[in-house]
Amino acid sequence: MTILLALLGQRLRRDGVQLLLWTTGTALLAYLTKVSVAQAYGTEEARASILAVVMANPVILLFRGLPSGAGEGAFMLFLIFPFLALLAALMSSFLAVRHTRGDEEIGRAELVASTRAGRQAPLLATLTHGILANAVLATLCAVALTATGLDIRGSVVSGLGAGAVGLTFLGVGLVSAQLMRTSSGANSLAVWALMLSFLAAGIGNAIGTPSNDLQRMESSWLTWLSPFGWGEQTRPFADDAVGPIVLCTALGMVLAGVAVALQAVRDLGGSFVPERRGRPGAPASLSTPLGLVARLARPSIIGWGFGGLVTGILATTLSGVIRDIGVDNPALEQIIRAISGGTDMEQGTVVAFFTMLGILAACCAVQTVCRARQEETHGTAELVLSTPVDRVRWLAGFVVVAFVGVLVVIAAALVGAAAGLASREGDWALLGDVVITGAGQIAAASVFIVVTAVIFVVAPRLTIPLGWALVLVSMMLGLFGPLFGFPDWVVELSPMGVTPTVTSDGIDVKGLWWLIAAVAAGGALALGLMRRRDLAPAG
């Protein structure tokens, strides 16, 4: 027990800042959404009209929760629960991989295994750590919702529902770490499982059966194949069902048990899914540091590019639907105008979706630059730098590939948006708006490349937590800030809040020149400081 507590304490110290951001950020999102709903949909009639339109256009349910009535709490959870559960799931799966496969990669697990702790104690400490993190997240969400004046029982069920989904994906992350040989492979497997589960729940809701009064949707069987679907079946502030919470928790513990069993029969450093056998000789593209970085980042860039493609398709195919909804619902029109800066409904929908696209591109950028830190801690950077490659050129490779990744994500979205317009029987009026709005997001996402690079040079240990935290904060300010009524100057602290937009009077460049100046200055600062920086492999 003493060893387990020592390992648990070590994990809590390593993750203190990260978990603070994940848990409080999720609770803050719940709190602010309730405040926003109270302001924008103050009457039950307004909420009922939105639900009726949603039933007529169920594709919207792909990205929302399960309608359970027009009550204020139930309506608020319909809007936000999938995102609360998504944050809990991402936090849990990353935590599981970081403290298992991640520690094996850098040799920390071998050092611990050589002590009295043995091989199973670190896994059990990680499991305990993940359970505590989700308990804190669930508690903070429940407290945040209760503080807004909502019913205590529904608030507790909401928090427990999100935390239970997190526990399921804690188990998914633990099993993924057993199956895959690298932490990046384990994270990719867990995230793919997460996205498929999220999509299954959305499709299951979309093809469900609406009630006669169009206020409640009964999901199809497909929803019951997804932990996200189970979480939504709790229906907080309507049914307050606890059965799905038990189901999610049980699956998470079963998966954790599978991970423990797999750990017992596996060699340290081994995996159940073998790595692909490499070619006898490296291709010519790997003869340069830029080519090597491109090869390392290629899978993740493809994944983010696929997300951009889907976002682009939805931006143009849903713009007409949301325009029609806004005609009968001034509250929705007000929200779209708040996000987009006052353009018409179709333009506003494109701006809203492309703000999300900018966040996807920023995630791609941060992940690529963070790879430099991973290479440094794993010792592979030292091998590259032992060749005639200087440190500036090595870091520049990550910066350049990150920028290419941003371009790929935006280009994929533009292709998707064009495909969406093509399905509208020759209505290409939005094409210009799509191109201008997408191009503006390139500048915003590029800011995250240079900021993460500067953090990597100045404070290498903070590269990963601080880089991702900045993306999270920017999302809160740039995407949700207008909905929550934040002052303009606060929203404009996010690069996504100052990108060029199309208005009825033309193009508002907003803070484009500031973004370009920040990218140029940040890039020069990072590469300039890298000349004087030694490698810092200690994680």
Side-chain angles (χ1 to χ4, degrees):
M1 181 59 74
T2 303
I3 293 173
L4 186 64
L5 291 176
L7 291 171
L8 179 60
Q10 181 254 358
R11 280 155 174 71
L12 291 172
R13 285 193 297 275
R14 283 177 61 191
D15 286 356
V17 174
Q18 287 194 53
L19 291 185
L20 180 67
L21 292 170
W22 279 108
T23 55
T24 57
T26 306
L28 186 62
L29 180 61
Y31 178 85
L32 293 175
T33 302
K34 165 61 179 63
V35 174
S36 176
V37 166
Q39 293 175 350
Y41 307 102
T43 65
E44 187 163 336
E45 290 75 15
R47 297 190 290 269
S49 67
I50 283 287
L51 290 177
V53 175
V54 167
M55 298 298 179
N57 302 276
V59 69
I60 296 174
L61 295 179
L62 288 173
F63 300 95
R64 292 299 181 186
L66 184 61
S68 302
E72 193 174 41
F75 184 81
M76 190 274 281
L77 265 295
F78 153 68
L79 294 178
I80 201 64
F81 183 84
F83 298 101
L84 300 180
L86 183 64
L87 289 173
L90 288 172
M91 176 191 75
S92 301
S93 60
F94 290 160
L95 179 152
V97 174
R98 182 167 60 251
H99 291 292
T100 51
R101 180 58 67 176
D103 279 358
E104 284 192 42
E105 278 190 304
I106 61 176
R108 183 180 288 127
E110 187 174 7
L111 289 175
V112 174
S114 66
T115 68
R116 289 192 299 121
R119 293 184 52 195
Q120 294 289 5
L123 181 58
L124 296 176
T126 301
L127 176 60
T128 307
H129 181 39
I131 293 173
L132 289 175
N134 280 288
V136 171
L137 183 142
T139 302
L140 290 179
C141 284
V143 170
L145 293 175
T146 305
T148 63
L150 290 174
D151 174 67
I152 292 178
R153 180 180 173 85
S155 301
V156 171
V157 171
S158 304
L160 290 178
V165 175
L167 286 179
T168 302
F169 283 93
L170 176 68
V172 171
L174 292 174
V175 172
S176 298
Q178 298 295 320
L179 296 179
M180 308 304 288
R181 195 174 184 85
T182 64
S183 58
S184 59
N187 276 326
S188 297
L189 179 61
V191 169
W192 273 109
L194 186 153
M195 297 309 297
L196 290 175
S197 176
F198 189 91
L199 194 60
I203 295 175
N205 292 337
I207 62 177
T209 305
S211 61
N212 292 331
D213 62 357
L214 300 180
Q215 301 300 296
R216 182 183 172 100
M217 177 72 84
E218 297 299 332
S219 306
S220 73
W221 61 270
L222 187 60
T223 300
W224 291 96
L225 301 180
S226 164
F228 283 99
W230 300 345
E232 292 170 2
Q233 294 298 330
T234 57
R235 296 183 185 269
F237 306 103
D239 297 355
D240 291 333
V242 296
I245 296 174
V246 176
L247 200 57
C248 283
T249 305
L251 177 59
M253 294 305 101
V254 168
L255 290 173
V258 170
V260 172
L262 293 177
Q263 171 95 352
V265 298
R266 175 176 71 85
D267 291 333
L268 197 64
S271 65
F272 290 93
V273 177
E275 284 185 302
R276 284 191 308 171
R277 298 182 64 181
R279 299 178 181 178
S285 60
L286 293 181
S287 62
T288 65
L290 186 63
L292 177 60
V293 175
R295 176 65 184 85
L296 293 172
R298 187 174 64 188
S300 61
I301 290 176
I302 292 174
W304 291 115
F306 178 75
L309 179 69
V310 174
T311 303
I313 293 172
L314 293 174
T316 49
T317 54
L318 286 183
S319 59
V321 175
I322 294 178
R323 176 200 60 201
D324 296 339
I325 297 173
V327 170
D328 299 324
N329 196 301
L332 179 62
E333 183 180 5
Q334 182 180 356
I335 289 174
I336 294 295
R337 289 187 183 280
I339 294 176
S340 60
T343 57
D344 69 36
M345 287 295 286
E346 283 196 285
Q347 289 175 334
T349 302
V350 169
V351 171
F353 272 96
F354 272 55
T355 302
M356 289 189 279
L357 172 68
I359 293 167
L360 290 180
C363 289
C364 178
V366 170
Q367 185 175 18
T368 303
V369 179
C370 284
R371 184 76 194 214
R373 178 57 185 163
Q374 292 172 325
E375 295 296 305
E376 187 175 45
T377 56
H378 294 170
T380 45
E382 189 173 2
L383 295 176
V384 175
L385 294 175
S386 66
T387 66
V389 174
D390 62 47
R391 284 167 292 187
V392 174
R393 187 181 171 198
W394 175 72
L395 178 60
F398 289 93
V399 172
V400 171
V401 172
F403 183 70
V404 172
V406 168
L407 295 180
V408 168
V409 174
I410 301 296
L414 295 180
V415 170
L421 290 174
S423 68
R424 295 172 48 162
E425 299 178 352
D427 181 7
W428 294 89
L430 279 177
L431 183 60
D433 301 344
V434 165
V435 173
I436 293 169
T437 310
Q441 296 298 335
I442 295 174
S446 298
V447 171
F448 292 90
I449 298 174
V450 298
V451 169
T452 309
V454 170
I455 297 171
F456 169 71
V457 175
V458 176
R461 291 187 178 185
L462 297 179
T463 305
I464 295 175
L466 196 52
W468 286 108
L470 289 174
V471 174
L472 182 63
V473 171
S474 295
M475 181 180 72
M476 292 287 292
L477 298 181
L479 185 59
F480 295 108
L483 303 181
F484 299 151
F486 290 173
D488 289 345
W489 68 269
V490 175
V491 175
E492 291 172 357
L493 292 176
S494 166
M496 285 75 184
V498 292
T499 55
T501 56
V502 180
T503 68
S504 56
D505 299 326
I507 302 172
D508 181 2
V509 297
K510 302 181 79 173
L512 175 64
W513 308 120
W514 286 107
L515 293 176
I516 293 175
V519 171
L525 181 65
L527 297 179
L529 292 176
M530 191 65 187
R531 294 179 184 278
R532 301 181 178 181
R533 178 185 179 280
D534 293 327
L535 285 178

